[in-house]
Amino acid sequence: MQKKFKSISESQLTITELMLPSHSNFSGKIHGGHILNLMDQIAFACASKHSENYCVTASVNKVDFLNPIEVGELVTLKASINYTGRTSMVVGLRVESENIRTGEKKHCNSSYFTMVAKDENGKSTPIPGIILKSKHEIRRFARSITRQSEGKNRTSRFSSKAFKTEDYIHLLEKSNSKIELN
């Protein structure tokens, strides 16, 4: 069986939604949870379009809310496949808001969702690879590989078996904490 590959542009998606009062918190800003829900939806759609299968969210890598989103603004979410493994892929997301009256656009956040393709029995299933056509696409693919290896290293360093208090106690010296070891 010959391996299948797809160009990144074949799976890219953009959605735009008007932010309504029902999406806001008590201060009149849009709930972060609402934006996360939209991000998960577009990541699912992008990954499913690429893999031609149902996909599930395996992890979300860092979501920083850079700018608040106001009621009445348009929010645009852009999704693109950055990396493909055997059954998983990293979907890069960018969220921007636009003030309808002024046309001012703000970058609100970017994130990376790792999605896994599932077959009709709920088992992880192989996906097409991606065709990298530019240095920018190669950079994003390489960045995903690096982020994965750094994440694995971070997890193992802080496992209960590997963690050594003496190696990290200095980090707490100026923190808002009080240590009372038994």
Side-chain angles (χ1 to χ4, degrees):
M1 185 171 124
Q2 189 171 357
K3 178 89 171 118
K4 184 176 179 179
F5 292 88
K6 288 178 144 183
S7 68
I8 291 172
S9 62
E10 289 180 77
S11 306
Q12 287 176 322
L13 292 172
T14 300
I15 60 170
T16 300
E17 185 173 312
L18 176 65
M19 293 297 101
L20 303 173
S22 61
H23 303 139
S24 70
N25 57 29
F26 292 113
S27 67
K29 310 293 185 213
I30 301 305
H31 279 291
H34 180 70
I35 299 303
L36 286 170
N37 181 45
L38 293 174
M39 292 170 73
D40 194 45
Q41 287 178 38
I42 195 169
F44 166 83
C46 181
S48 295
K49 188 173 181 183
H50 179 82
S51 68
E52 301 169 3
N53 281 286
Y54 179 82
C55 292
V56 296
T57 306
S59 70
V60 178
N61 184 293
K62 192 174 181 182
V63 179
D64 290 326
F65 292 96
L66 306 172
N67 288 295
I69 300 171
E70 308 287 338
V71 170
E73 290 186 329
L74 293 176
V75 169
T76 299
L77 296 94
K78 299 174 183 178
S80 184
I81 301 294
N82 287 3
Y83 167 86
T84 50
R86 193 179 75 76
T87 64
S88 67
M89 63 218 95
V90 173
V91 179
L93 299 173
R94 181 176 173 93
V95 180
E96 297 174 343
S97 67
E98 180 180 355
N99 182 302
I100 295 171
R101 290 189 180 119
T102 67
E104 178 193 2
K105 292 183 181 180
K106 299 180 289 188
H107 176 210
C108 298
N109 67 45
S110 295
S111 188
Y112 305 95
F113 279 55
T114 300
M115 308 296 288
V116 178
K118 299 291 185 176
D119 66 15
E120 55 278 346
N121 298 315
K123 302 285 185 202
S124 297
T125 188
I127 62 169
I130 56 173
I131 302 166
L132 304 170
K133 296 182 178 182
S134 70
K135 288 181 179 179
H136 175 69
E137 291 172 351
I138 293 169
R139 179 185 63 80
R140 288 169 45 185
F141 195 95
R143 185 176 180 191
S144 292
I145 293 170
T146 302
R147 194 170 26 280
Q148 286 177 342
S149 68
E150 288 171 351
K152 288 176 186 169
N153 182 40
R154 185 173 50 249
T155 301
S156 62
R157 257 190 322 197
F158 289 95
S159 73
S160 59
K161 290 181 181 176
F163 183 77
K164 292 186 172 100
T165 304
E166 60 274 10
D167 292 344
Y168 296 93
I169 197 78
H170 70 280
L171 297 175
L172 285 69
E173 290 172 359
K174 295 181 181 178
S175 70
N176 186 17
S177 65
K178 181 179 176 182
I179 301 169
E180 295 180 353
L181 295 175
N182 295 334

